[in-house]
Each structure stands twice: as C-alpha cells, then as structure tokens.
Amino acid sequence: CLFLFCRLCTLNRGLLTPGRGLTQGFQNPEKQRVFHIHEVRDKLREIVGVSTNWRDHMKAMEERKLLRSFLAKSQEALPPRRMKDSYVEVLLPLGSQPELREKYLTVQNTVRFGRILEDLDSLGVLICYMHTKVHEVKMSPLSIVTALVDKIDMCKKSLSPERDIKFSGHVSWVGKTSMEAKMQMFQLQDSEFCPVLEATFVMVARDSENKGSAFVNPLIPEGPKEEALFRQGELNKGRRVAFSSMSLLKMAPSAEERTTIHEMFLNTLDQKTISFQSRVLPPNAVWMEKSKLKSLEICHPQERNIFNRIFGGFLMRKAYELGWATACNFGGSRPFVVAVDDIMFQKPVEVGSLLFLSSQVCFTQGNYIQVRVHSEVASLHNKEHTTTNVFHFTFMSENEVPLVFPRTYGESMLYLDGQRHFNSMSASDTMKKDYLLKP
Ligand SMILES: CCCCCCCCCC(=O)SCCNC(=O)CCNC(=O)[C@H](O)C(C)(C)COP(=O)(O)OP(=O)(O)OC[C@H]1O[C@@H](n2cnc3c(N)ncnc32)[C@H](O)[C@@H]1OP(=O)(O)O
C-alpha cells in the first residue's frame, strides 16, 4: 500500500508538456502537447501503472486494486469536461525519422493499414484517459477498453511511408460508462497536413481491476460545432441499437432480402436435373465457402495491453491482414481498403489463448469486396471456443470481381449481413473518394 502511495505521488508529474505547434485538426487552442507515437503506449503504461516484467503482472494488478477508492459512486460526482480537455495530437514522423518506416512499410511502398489500426486503438484509449483524468493522482483508477470500432473512413488515395503523419482526436460523446472518441489522421503534403482518415471508436470504462463498469466524467459541449458532434454521438448510439435489434441473428430477413436470396438460389439450380439438390454456379461466380481463409495466432505476452489482456489493435491488425489476403485471393489483384465498420469487442482475449481467425468474402458488387472476419479463442486448458470479435472490411479491387454465391441458409444470412454493411458504407461519403491503402 505504501509502495503504491509513493508511486502515485512520485508519478504525479503533469502529462502535458509543450510540443511542436501543429495547427491542423479539430482544435488546439490551448497548445496542448503533441506526443510522439512512441510516447502513446509509454503514457498509457504510466497512467495504468503496469509492470514491465511479465512475471510481475499479478503484482501490478494487485496494486491497481488499491485505486478503487478513487472510483466515483455516481456520474454526477465527477467534474464535467470539455472536448478540448481530451484533445490530443500525435506525430508519426515517417518522413523525418526514417528508422520508423520499416514497421509501417508494404511491398508497394505504401503504409501498412494494420499498423494504423494499432495506433488508432492506443490513441483512442489515451484520449479517454485525458477525459477522465483524476488530477490528484497520476495513475488512473479506471481500466478503459475498446468496445467498438464504429467506423473508419479513408479519404485519401495513397499514403506515403516517406512523409510525416499526424493523428488528432478527442472525446465527442459520453454515456454513463462509455465514451465515443473521434480521431482524424493527416499526412504532410506540400508542407501542409491534409486529412486522410476519420475514425469513431467507443471505449468503455471499467473499474480498477477491469471487473465491472465505472462512471466517466460528463461532457459539456461548447458552441454549435461541439453540440452537433455530441448530437451525432447520441444518433450513433441510436443507430447501433436499431442495427443490432434488426440483426439476422435475431430477426428474419426483410421481404426484399428474402427475394434476393431466393433469386440467387434459383440462379444456381441445374436446369437439366430439375432438382433442389443439384446446384451449378452461373458464369463469373464463386461459392462463398471457396473464399475462406483461416489463421491461428498464439497470444504471447508481447501482445498484451495495459490490463494483461490481448491488445485490441493487435487483434484488428491480424484480422485486417487476413481479410486483405482474402480479398486479394478472391479478386486476383491487390485490393485497397475503403472502410472498416462495426468491429465489436465482445470478450477480452486472455494472454496465452489460441486465437482462431476465419475470413470470408460475404458480398461483392462491381469492384467492391465485403469481407467478414470472425475470431474465436480457446484457452490452453479448456478446448471450448468462444467468439471474441467480428470484423467487417470493405475493399476495392482494381478490376471487377466475381459474384459470391451462398450455398446454405447460414451463408445466405452472411451474404445479407455483408450486403447491409456494404449498403451502410456506400450510403456514406466514403465510396465517393478515391483510395489506395494497402495492408
Ligand atoms: C501495453 C501498451 C498497450 C497499450 C494499448 C492500450 C489499448 C488498450 C485497449 C485495448 O486493447 S482493450 C482490448 C480489446 N477490447 C476488449 O477486450 C473488450 C472486450 N469486451 C468487454 O470486455 C465487454 O464486452 C465490454 C466491457 C466492452 C462491455 O461489457 P458489457 O456488455 O458487460 O457492458 P455493459 O452492458 O455493462 O455496458 C457498459 C457500457 O458499454 C456500452 N457498450 C457495451 N458494448 C458496446 C458496444 N458494442 N458498442 C458500444 N457501446 C457498448 C454500453 O452501452 C454501456 O454504456 P453506458 O454505460 O454509457 O450506457
């Protein structure tokens, strides 16, 4: 207890120190500090107080128990925060520090999108720690985890690994225990940072030991722009509830969707045999099951997050890269990612688990390929499999791609789910932009 108290006191230095004057982005009126990308994870470790040595991880978690007394009994007991209180800028100096490039490089000399997913996840959590900062102590009593990647939209044709990148973001909406973080990414072009990506994540605050939920500070929007962002956060929550209540896991497809599936079924009946069993593919079509790719990851401690579970960004990178390979294999050319949506982190992944990833094309249209990656874990002691995440990625291929045909009822539901995700993407501005992002 004394050890922890000393740590809390000695670590009680300010988080913000002066940084370089980057001016692009939502706002930085109070000249908040600009973190270097390497500092983000270090900062998170400092805020949560994790052990550097794996053998000490149980002890570090024991210490966190003592922070329980700093948890609020109600949301009203916490001081309200403004959007600018959580505003953070992070520099990824790929241009000015070439030694950073290797980690981010694709064979086409573009930026690995999987690495960007990892950086966004860490940044989202840091932003939420800024919002919930308890000024009396350096270490936070909260365990903040990623619950959902609501949406990531790309808005730039290609990312160069030879030019500096900047991220910025802030909390844009809060519930009782959840927070929405909006982030943007910029790349230096002709000495200006130009927008290349927008992302919306939902983070959930848990108690010191990550066992139950915990209240977060209220958010007070200032001015019409912030009020609009906050209202959008409310609408996003409503949309997610509506989307989930209409899930094909709960409800039958609509009349239009049923017609689509039946027409696809009729298109695959063998005209010669007049049988329900005998199925043949129409020209330029592929059975959905043929599009599958699978992988296995052993979840080593190296990939742990600050709470000794597997880092969400690592899970996203692995799922994205398998999804990209699936789209590449299916479309026959290198695809570009257009959008990512609705990645739900349903269950934490324990260190030491076996992570099974299964990816398949579930919908195509023109040059677009909608890929779904399902991840499940089995512990080393218990062979039972548990779903931890479902990922949805929209890719664009250089050429028109084959149609994908479901054979079973389950696959038909995957097709319709893929179509719903694709339609929600194509309704947004995303598809109107041009892309060239590769893994
Ligand atoms: C070492 C350096 C590394 C640095 C990396 C730092 C990054 C660390 C971040 C991570 O890596 S976290 C790892 C990936 N994420 C996870 O493992 C989370 C796994 N999922 C869970 O643990 C639970 O599903 C979760 C805590 C997210 C939700 O649990 P419950 O469903 O029991 O929550 P509950 O019903 O109590 O709802 C709590 C709040 O969450 C909200 N919520 C839950 N699921 C949601 C969802 N899917 N989408 C949006 N909001 C959601 C819910 O609305 C509610 O908000 P409000 O209180 O504001 O109303």
Side-chain angles (χ1 to χ4, degrees):
C1 183
L2 181 66
F3 172 72
L4 176 72
F5 179 74
C6 294
R7 242 173 115 175
L8 298 179
C9 299
T10 53
L11 287 173
N12 203 14
R13 298 174 255 133
L15 273 174
L16 304 177
T17 55
R20 285 167 53 179
L22 295 169
T23 52
Q24 298 281 321
F26 165 67
Q27 55 188 359
N28 196 358
E30 295 179 359
K31 293 269 181 284
Q32 303 278 55
R33 94 159 281 183
V34 180
F35 291 100
H36 185 283
I37 196 76
H38 282 163
E39 290 175 286
V40 174
R41 284 192 181 202
D42 292 346
K43 224 63 214 155
L44 287 170
R45 285 196 188 93
E46 211 173 288
I47 293 168
V48 185
V50 285
S51 63
T52 318
N53 299 325
W54 173 240
R55 63 175 181 276
D56 295 337
H57 75 280
M58 293 305 285
K59 195 168 125 220
M61 283 311 268
E62 282 297 307
E63 286 169 18
R64 282 191 55 73
K65 268 191 198 170
L66 302 168
L67 291 163
R68 251 191 316 219
S69 59
F70 291 100
L71 291 170
K73 304 268 179 302
S74 70
Q75 191 174 36
E76 293 69 38
L78 290 164
R81 296 280 151 81
R82 302 159 303 172
M83 290 193 190
K84 59 176 159 254
D85 293 328
S86 59
Y87 182 80
V88 174
E89 287 187 355
V90 175
L91 190 65
L92 170 58
L94 292 178
S96 39
Q97 292 178 12
E99 66 277 10
L100 287 175
R101 267 178 222 159
E102 210 62 15
K103 187 176 153 189
Y104 288 86
L105 208 56
T106 74
V107 70
Q108 284 77 41
N109 204 36
T110 60
V111 172
R112 271 174 83 177
F113 183 65
R115 290 290 185 204
I116 300 298
L117 288 175
E118 291 184 319
D119 291 342
L120 286 171
D121 196 30
S122 304
L123 173 61
V125 174
L126 182 62
I127 285 170
C128 292
Y129 275 118
M130 291 300 192
H131 176 83
T132 53
K133 186 165 165 46
V134 179
H135 290 287
E136 302 80 60
V137 279
K138 178 73 184 192
M139 280 163 70
S140 173
L142 298 177
S143 308
I144 294 177
V145 299
T146 314
L148 177 80
V149 176
D150 184 77
K151 210 165 186 300
I152 302 178
D153 285 341
M154 261 56 72
C155 47
K156 176 76 174 76
K157 217 175 170 203
S158 71
L159 288 188
S160 163
E162 286 148 23
R163 280 190 258 130
D164 285 1
I165 282 178
K166 186 190 68 163
F167 300 91
S168 70
H170 60 90
V171 170
S172 50
W173 173 87
V174 298
K176 289 274 176 215
T177 66
S178 61
M179 292 160 277
E180 185 187 81
K182 275 210 184 293
M183 291 168 276
Q184 280 185 296
M185 186 174 136
F186 306 85
Q187 184 155 50
L188 203 56
Q189 197 166 7
D190 304 328
S191 48
E192 270 213 24
F193 276 103
C194 305
V196 291
L197 173 152
E198 282 177 21
T200 309
F201 283 41
V202 179
M203 309 295 181
V204 171
R206 315 272 295 160
D207 63 23
S208 318
E209 297 166 78
N210 193 4
K211 288 192 172 153
S213 51
F215 293 108
V216 299
N217 302 62
L219 177 66
I220 308 269
E222 289 180 329
K225 196 175 162 189
E226 293 191 6
E227 278 160 13
L229 278 176
F230 195 87
R231 270 197 308 278
Q232 186 58 52
E234 290 284 348
L235 291 174
N236 288 345
K237 184 171 182 175
R239 171 180 48 80
R240 284 192 290 267
V241 171
F243 203 82
S244 147
S245 64
M246 284 168 59
S247 161
L248 292 162
L249 291 167
K250 296 179 191 157
M251 270 180 76
S254 69
E256 195 184 342
E257 288 173 329
R258 288 197 298 269
T259 308
T260 304
I261 292 304
H262 200 71
E263 277 173 3
M264 290 183 96
F265 174 71
L266 293 179
N267 267 337
T268 61
L269 288 185
D270 187 349
Q271 300 302 320
K272 288 188 219 117
T273 56
I274 318 175
S275 143
F276 287 128
Q277 301 299 336
S278 179
R279 315 267 305 266
V280 263
L281 276 173
N284 197 27
V286 175
W287 289 120
M288 191 183 276
E289 64 186 325
K290 294 278 182 212
S291 72
K292 268 190 189 169
L293 284 184
K294 294 190 176 201
S295 73
L296 167 75
E297 297 295 328
I298 301 171
C299 295
H300 294 293
Q302 184 189 10
E303 306 303 344
R304 72 185 183 276
N305 67 16
I306 36 184
F307 316 112
N308 295 319
R309 301 269 175 67
I310 295 298
F311 172 40
F314 167 78
L315 302 173
M316 282 196 272
R317 173 163 65 84
K318 286 293 167 189
Y320 171 76
E321 292 189 347
L322 182 67
W324 182 86
T326 308
C328 189
N329 198 34
F330 184 87
S333 67
R334 291 183 174 272
F336 319 127
V337 64
V338 174
V340 178
D341 85 312
D342 201 23
I343 298 180
M344 216 184 279
F345 289 89
Q346 294 167 13
K347 293 241 160 52
V349 176
E350 300 291 339
V351 174
S353 311
L354 296 180
L355 179 74
F356 296 85
L357 294 171
S358 173
S359 169
Q360 69 194 110
V361 174
C362 51
F363 177 80
T364 63
Q365 185 175 296
N367 290 26
Y368 292 105
I369 307 173
Q370 186 70 34
V371 175
R372 181 183 195 269
V373 184
H374 176 260
S375 76
E376 53 187 35
V377 290
S379 75
L380 291 178
H381 322 290
N382 177 351
K383 299 252 164 54
E384 210 171 281
H385 283 224
T386 314
T387 298
T388 54
N389 301 79
V390 180
F391 304 85
H392 302 275
F393 302 109
T394 312
F395 292 97
M396 193 175 80
S397 193
E398 276 163 9
N399 310 312
E400 194 158 318
V401 297
L403 292 172
V404 67
F405 269 73
R407 205 199 274 268
T408 63
Y409 189 77
E411 284 180 352
S412 300
M413 295 306 103
L414 285 179
Y415 181 91
L416 292 178
D417 191 53
Q419 188 183 45
R420 286 183 183 186
H421 280 282
F422 179 79
N423 287 344
S424 75
M425 285 292 122
S426 52
S428 76
D429 283 345
T430 305
M431 301 285 190
K432 294 171 199 142
K433 298 159 191 160
D434 56 344
Y435 310 97
L436 217 75
L437 289 174
K438 292 173 184 166

